[in-house]
Amino acid sequence: MAFNKVAVIGAGTMGSGIAGQVANAGIDVWLLDLPSDGSAVNALAERGLQRIKDPASPGLMSNEAERFVHVGNTRDDFDQLADCDWIVEAVVERLDIKKTLYKHLDEVCRDDAIVSSNTSTIPIRLLIEDMPTSFQQRFAITHFFNPVRQMPLLELVRGEHSSAEVMHTLADFCDQQLGKGVIPCVDTPGFLGNRVGCYAIQCALQAALELGLSAQEADAIFGRPMGIPKTGVFGLYDLIGIDLMSDVAKSLVATLPPDDAFHNEATPVPLMVDMISKGHTGIKQGQGFYRRGEHGTEAVNLNTGAYEPVPHRITLPLADQAEQQGIHVLLEDEGKYGQFAWRVLSRVLSYAASLIPEVGDTPQGVDDAMKLGYNWIRGPFELIDDIGVDTFIARLETENISVPAFLRSAAGSSFYRVAANELQQRCVDGSWQALNRPTGVLRFNEKRQTMTPVNTCAVASWFDLDGIALVEFHSKANALDGDSMAILADAIETVASKSMRGLIVHNDAQHFSCGVNLAAVRAFFEADDMDGLDAFLHHFQQTVLNMAKAPFPVVAAPVGMSLGGGFEVVLQAKQVICHANSTMGLVESGVGLVPGGGGCKETLYRWIEQLGGNDHIADASWKAFMNLGYGRTCSSPILAREQAMLRPNDSFLNNRDRLLPAAMDAIASRTGQVEFVRNPLPMPGQPMFEKMCAWLEEAHAAGKLTPHNVVTATELARIVSGGDVEPGTKMSEQDVLDAERSSFLRLVSTDATRERIRTMLDVGKAVQN
C-alpha cells in the first residue's frame, strides 16, 4: 500500500516534526490542531509549520517541501481525513482525549486507512480498548524521536489485533520514505529507547550528586569517553528540557512495576524542582544547568544552586585518555571519576540485560534503540562485550550486585560474534542468529567486523568489499591529514593496478569528515616548515584529482557533515549518493584560510557548469567568491544542488543505512557516473578582481568585515578571478590549483590566521577546518 496523503493531528513539536518529514518525502500531509478564536483559526497549526521552517533547526529540507504541508484545524478540516492513507495522532498525552479522537476518526476515515499514535507513555491496549476490532487491526504506535528529521529511531508497537500487513506497510514506509531505523517493540512501558535511555540519564544524575561531581565533570565522563554524545547528562537535560525530562521520568515511575530498578534512580531532586519553578528549564528558556553569563559560560553549583563562572570546556586527562584508549580506562580508575563511571555503567548495563526477554529475545533492539535514539556509539550489550562479559560479571559479584540471567548466560562468551562470515547475536535461548536487517540495509560498522583491511593506519583504512575498494576515515571528527590521504591514494592506485570494480568513500560515523586536521597544519607552521605544508597540500590536491580522473567508477557516500577538506573529497567523486540530512560546504574562511585541496577550483567549475558554460564565467566567479567568502554551508542535498555543490547526477536517500548498498549498486551499473571535464578557463581577470576588492573595502568600511576577513577574501578573489591577469587569459585546472596552494600558504604565514588556528585548538572548539 502506497501512502499518497497523510494527516497528522497535533501540531506541537512532535506532530509538526512528523508532518515535516512526510513532506520531505514528497507526500501531501495535512497538519491539524484545535481551532483558535478570531480570524487566525489555524494559528496552532501555522505555529507548527513555522517551527519546522526555523532555519536554526529546519524540519523541512527545502522551500519546495513546504508546498506539501497543508495546515488546518480539527473543526473545519476534519473531512480532509476521509481520503487519507495514514493518520498520525500526536495530541496531548491524555487517554480520554485520544479515545474521543479515535472514535471520530473511525467515523470519518476509510476502512483501510491506517491510524497510529506517537505516544510514548500509554499502553496500546488502553488506547484502543473501546474501539471495534476492525479499527484495532489497522492501529499501531509509531513513536518518533525528537527532532524528527534528525533522529533516525522509530519504535513500532503492534497491538493484539494489529494486522501483519499494516505493520509491514508502516515499517516499510517509515524505513524507505521517512528514513527511519524501525525497531519492532513489545508494548511495555517506555518501549526500548526511553526505558533504557531515561534510566541511564537518571543514573548519571543521581551518581553525580552522590559523589559530589560538578555538572561539567559529570558531562566530561558521561559523554565521549563512554561513547555517548558530548552533551553528557546535564547538557542533555538542558537540551531536552529539565521540565520535559522530569515529566518523562514521572510517567515511567507511574507505569513501571514497583520492583523495577528505575524507581531507585527516580527520586526527585530538590534543586531541579526549584529550577523548574523558576523557569530555569534549559536551552529553550535560556538557562538550565548551564547558561551564557556576562563573562562567558556559567553552570549551576549542584550544592548551592547558584550560577558560577566555569571554563568553556574543562580538561580531564582521564576522560581524554578513555576517549582515545577505551572505556576500560575509566573502570580501572580508583578515583571519583572512575567510581562515577562504574556507578553508572554497572547499573545501566545490568538494567539493559535484565530487560531480556521482557522487551525482546535478542540484544539488537536495545542496542539499536540507544544508537539511533540517543546517539550512543555502542549499545549496552556492545559495551559489555567491550568491557568483557566475564570481567563485568566478576566485578558485579565482587560488589554483591545482582547479575541478570541473560548476562550470566553469556559467561565465557559474548553477546555478539563473527561466524560464517557474518555478525551474529546471542538469543535468550542460547542460540545464535544473524542480525535482523531489512533488505537493502547495510551498516559498514557491522560489516567491517567481518573484514580485514587491505591497508590501515590510525586515521583511515580501506577494505576490499566484493571487489570494490571502500575507504573509511576514522579519526576524531574524521579530520584529514597526510596519512588519510595516503590511504586514499593507495586505494586509488590499487583499484587501477588490480582492475578492481571501483572505489567508494564512505563511513557511517556521525559525520563523514569535518575537514583537514588543523593540528597538523599548526604543526607545520610552528616548525616553520612551509615546504612540508606545501607538499601536504599538493599531495591532497593530486590525490582527490586522481579520484576525479580515475578510469573506474567512484562514489562518495557521505553522512552528517562534510566540511572543508572533507567536502573537497566529496567534490571530486564522479557520483555522490548522500544522506538527506547531509550538511556540506567549504568553511575555511572562518579560520582565515582558503580551501587548499581543490575546493576553490571545483567551486568555480561547478558554477560555470550550472550557469551554462564559459560565457558565464564572470557570474560564476562572483558566485564562487560569495560562497567561499561566507563559508556557506547547505543543510540538505536539495539546497546543496542549488548552490552548485552537487551535480544533477548526484542523489540522496532518506535512510542513511541504505547508502552503502546504493553506492555498491552504482558501482555495478556505472550509469550515474559523470566524468570531470575541466578545460582551461578564460578568466575574468583584473576587472573582476578589482570589483571584488572594492566590494570587500566597502563591507569593511560598513563594519561588516574585519581587516583579516578582507585579507582572506582578497586571496579568494585572486583565485576565482585570476587576479591581475588580462580578461580572457586562459588558466588550466592545475593553474587554479597552484593558485589555491599559494594563497593558502600566504594566509597561513600571517599572524592573524595562525592565532585563529591556535585559539580554536587551544580552547578545544575544533580539530578541523
Side-chain angles (χ1 to χ4, degrees):
M1 175 182 178
F3 290 162
N4 298 308
K5 183 179 179 182
V6 174
V8 180
I9 303 176
T13 298
M14 293 305 301
S16 59
I18 296 167
Q21 192 65 1
V22 173
N24 288 335
I27 296 169
D28 284 308
V29 55
W30 278 81
L31 179 61
L32 306 183
D33 210 310
L34 295 171
S36 299
D37 296 332
S39 58
V41 67
N42 296 329
L44 293 178
E46 287 284 358
R47 190 180 306 161
L49 177 58
Q50 293 305 312
R51 183 180 292 112
I52 58 177
K53 290 172 60 178
D54 181 1
S57 181
L60 294 173
M61 288 175 55
S62 66
N63 293 332
E64 175 71 10
E66 183 183 347
R67 74 180 181 88
F68 292 102
V69 182
H70 312 278
V71 298
N73 67 81
T74 52
R75 181 189 65 202
D76 303 325
D77 302 294
F78 210 74
D79 61 327
Q80 288 291 339
L81 307 181
D83 61 346
C84 282
D85 302 302
W86 179 29
I87 300 94
V88 185
E89 171 268 299
V91 302
V92 64
E93 291 287 81
R94 277 183 50 185
L95 184 59
D96 58 332
I97 293 176
K98 292 179 187 287
K99 285 188 171 185
T100 300
L101 175 60
Y102 299 156
K103 291 179 180 179
H104 291 322
L105 289 176
D106 197 34
E107 295 169 355
V108 172
C109 297
R110 296 197 321 254
D111 290 342
D112 63 345
I114 296 174
V115 180
S116 70
S117 173
N118 186 60
T119 185
S120 61
T121 62
I122 303 176
I124 192 170
R125 59 177 177 79
L126 295 181
L127 289 174
I128 53 176
E129 61 184 354
D130 301 329
M131 301 302 295
T133 302
S134 59
F135 184 90
Q136 295 186 32
Q137 288 173 340
R138 51 193 174 89
F139 186 89
I141 288 176
T142 49
H143 180 223
F144 293 82
F145 276 61
N146 186 47
V148 176
R149 179 183 167 193
Q150 281 78 22
M151 297 304 295
L153 178 59
L154 175 82
E155 294 177 320
L156 181 59
V157 185
R158 74 181 306 158
E160 180 183 358
H161 299 291
S162 303
S163 79
E165 181 183 359
V166 164
M167 302 307 290
H168 173 77
T169 299
L170 285 171
D172 187 65
F173 178 80
C174 292
D175 167 3
Q176 300 203 43
Q177 298 298 310
L178 302 189
K180 299 304 170 187
V182 179
I183 300 180
C185 293
V186 180
D187 188 22
T188 54
F191 309 135
L192 291 180
N194 284 343
R195 180 79 175 270
V196 178
C198 291
Y199 180 78
I201 293 169
Q202 290 299 119
C203 279
L205 171 72
Q206 298 290 352
L209 295 172
E210 289 175 15
L211 295 170
L213 272 66
S214 69
Q216 278 196 311
E217 287 175 319
D219 287 350
I221 299 297
F222 186 74
R224 285 175 172 165
M226 291 186 183
I228 294 170
K230 64 180 180 180
T231 47
V233 53
F234 295 99
L236 184 60
Y237 254 101
D238 278 0
L239 181 64
I240 296 174
I242 297 172
D243 52 345
L244 178 59
M245 276 299 304
S246 297
D247 288 342
V248 172
K250 290 177 184 176
S251 172
L252 286 168
V253 166
T255 55
L256 288 169
D259 61 347
D260 194 276
F262 189 93
H263 297 289
N264 299 328
E265 307 296 335
T267 304
V269 177
L271 170 63
M272 294 170 60
V273 174
D274 182 59
M275 292 174 69
I276 292 171
S277 70
K278 294 177 179 177
H280 299 175
T281 54
I283 292 174
K284 62 185 178 182
Q285 299 298 334
Q287 57 184 348
F289 287 108
Y290 297 99
R291 72 178 182 184
R292 193 71 180 172
E294 183 178 349
H295 302 292
T297 303
E298 295 180 348
V300 166
N301 182 309
L302 301 180
N303 294 316
T304 67
Y307 284 99
E308 298 176 350
V310 294
H312 175 77
R313 175 180 181 269
I314 64 170
T315 299
L316 299 181
L318 179 69
D320 294 340
Q321 184 183 358
E323 188 175 351
Q324 295 296 320
Q325 299 178 20
I327 200 167
H328 66 90
V329 172
L330 293 177
L331 300 183
E332 291 168 0
D333 179 71
E334 298 180 356
K336 66 176 181 178
Y337 300 138
Q339 294 175 38
F340 171 74
W342 173 249
R343 160 70 160 82
V344 174
L345 288 171
S346 61
R347 301 189 184 194
V348 173
L349 303 187
S350 295
Y351 186 68
S354 73
L355 297 179
I356 306 295
E358 176 192 352
V359 300
D361 294 336
T362 69
Q364 179 184 330
V366 172
D367 281 349
D368 276 356
M370 295 311 298
K371 291 186 288 187
L372 299 179
Y374 281 79
N375 282 331
W376 286 24
I377 294 175
R378 287 165 297 184
F381 293 98
E382 292 170 317
L383 283 169
I384 295 174
D385 278 357
D386 189 35
I387 295 168
V389 172
D390 290 348
T391 299
F392 188 59
I393 290 175
R395 186 162 178 183
L396 291 177
E397 290 178 334
T398 298
E399 301 187 15
N400 295 317
I401 300 173
S402 176
V403 179
F406 187 50
L407 173 58
R408 190 172 295 283
S409 74
S413 183
S414 60
F415 289 106
Y416 295 93
R417 73 176 186 183
V418 174
N421 200 35
E422 66 179 7
L423 186 61
Q424 299 179 343
Q425 59 181 326
R426 175 180 294 277
C427 301
V428 70
D429 63 4
S431 64
W432 292 88
Q433 69 176 40
L435 299 188
N436 183 20
R437 299 281 179 231
T439 301
V441 167
L442 177 62
R443 298 177 186 170
F444 185 65
N445 61 16
E446 294 172 353
K447 181 66 176 176
R448 186 203 312 114
Q449 296 180 51
T450 69
M451 304 174 70
T452 300
V454 178
N455 194 0
T456 186
C457 67
V459 296
S461 304
W462 79 266
F463 300 79
D464 184 339
L465 182 62
D466 298 331
I468 301 170
L470 187 145
V471 175
E472 178 194 37
F473 304 131
H474 46 70
S475 60
K476 184 175 182 180
N478 289 331
L480 307 177
D481 59 17
D483 291 339
S484 310
M485 289 299 103
I487 292 292
L488 179 57
D490 182 59
I492 294 169
E493 181 180 346
T494 305
V495 173
S497 65
K498 294 190 175 182
S499 299
M500 297 178 70
R501 296 166 57 201
L503 172 73
I504 295 174
V505 188
H506 169 74
N507 62 71
D508 50 14
Q510 184 177 6
H511 301 300
F512 175 77
S513 171
C514 293
V516 167
N517 189 340
L518 283 183
V521 174
R522 178 180 183 176
F524 280 118
F525 71 67
E526 298 288 16
D528 199 24
D529 184 10
M530 291 298 102
D531 289 341
L533 180 55
D534 186 37
F536 163 68
L537 293 173
H538 183 267
H539 182 247
F540 191 113
Q541 289 181 343
Q542 295 308 308
T543 298
V544 295
L545 192 62
N546 288 340
M547 189 171 74
K549 297 181 180 298
F552 48 77
V554 177
V555 176
V559 298
M561 291 194 293
S562 304
L563 302 178
F567 187 51
E568 288 176 304
V569 174
V570 173
L571 277 170
Q572 306 293 337
K574 296 180 184 180
Q575 184 177 4
V576 177
I577 304 175
C578 61
H579 184 224
N581 290 341
S582 295
T583 296
M584 51 193 70
L586 297 166
V587 296
E588 286 85 348
S589 61
V591 289
L593 291 171
V594 298
C600 297
K601 176 269 297 183
E602 195 56 33
T603 298
L604 179 58
Y605 273 104
R606 293 290 181 94
W607 274 115
I608 292 170
E609 288 177 347
Q610 187 148 318
L611 295 176
N614 286 347
D615 291 345
H616 302 275
I617 192 167
D619 290 340
S621 177
W622 186 263
K623 285 184 175 293
F625 173 62
M626 285 294 164
N627 271 17
L628 296 169
Y630 280 115
R632 185 164 290 152
T633 61
C634 293
S635 60
S636 80
I638 296 173
L639 300 177
R641 186 174 288 124
E642 293 172 359
Q643 294 300 321
M645 295 180 187
L646 293 177
R647 300 188 290 178
N649 67 304
D650 298 329
S651 61
F652 66 88
L653 297 175
N654 283 328
N655 192 328
R656 59 181 285 158
D657 290 337
R658 293 183 174 272
L659 288 181
L660 183 53
M664 295 173 69
D665 289 344
I667 294 290
S669 70
R670 297 176 175 240
T671 55
Q673 298 283 296
V674 173
E675 301 296 327
F676 286 78
V677 178
R678 298 294 178 251
N679 296 321
L681 299 174
M683 302 300 287
Q686 186 172 359
M688 177 60 71
F689 181 53
E690 291 177 349
K691 177 183 176 181
M692 291 173 174
C693 290
W695 185 91
L696 291 172
E697 291 301 331
E698 290 178 8
H700 175 238
K704 298 178 180 178
L705 297 175
T706 68
H708 196 61
N709 290 151
V710 174
V711 172
T712 302
T714 298
E715 293 295 342
L716 287 169
R718 194 186 315 278
I719 297 165
V720 299
S721 70
D724 295 328
V725 304
E726 291 294 322
T729 299
K730 294 289 186 72
M731 290 184 66
S732 69
E733 181 179 32
Q734 189 59 54
D735 291 334
V736 183
L737 287 172
D738 292 342
E740 275 190 30
R741 285 205 327 281
S742 296
S743 289
F744 190 103
L745 293 170
R746 277 194 293 271
L747 287 168
V748 87
S749 297
T750 64
D751 291 339
T753 290
R754 292 185 176 193
E755 190 55 34
R756 285 191 188 185
I757 292 173
R758 291 187 186 107
T759 299
M760 290 187 72
L761 291 172
D762 290 347
V763 300
K765 290 182 178 178
V767 294
Q768 67 284 321
N769 60 33

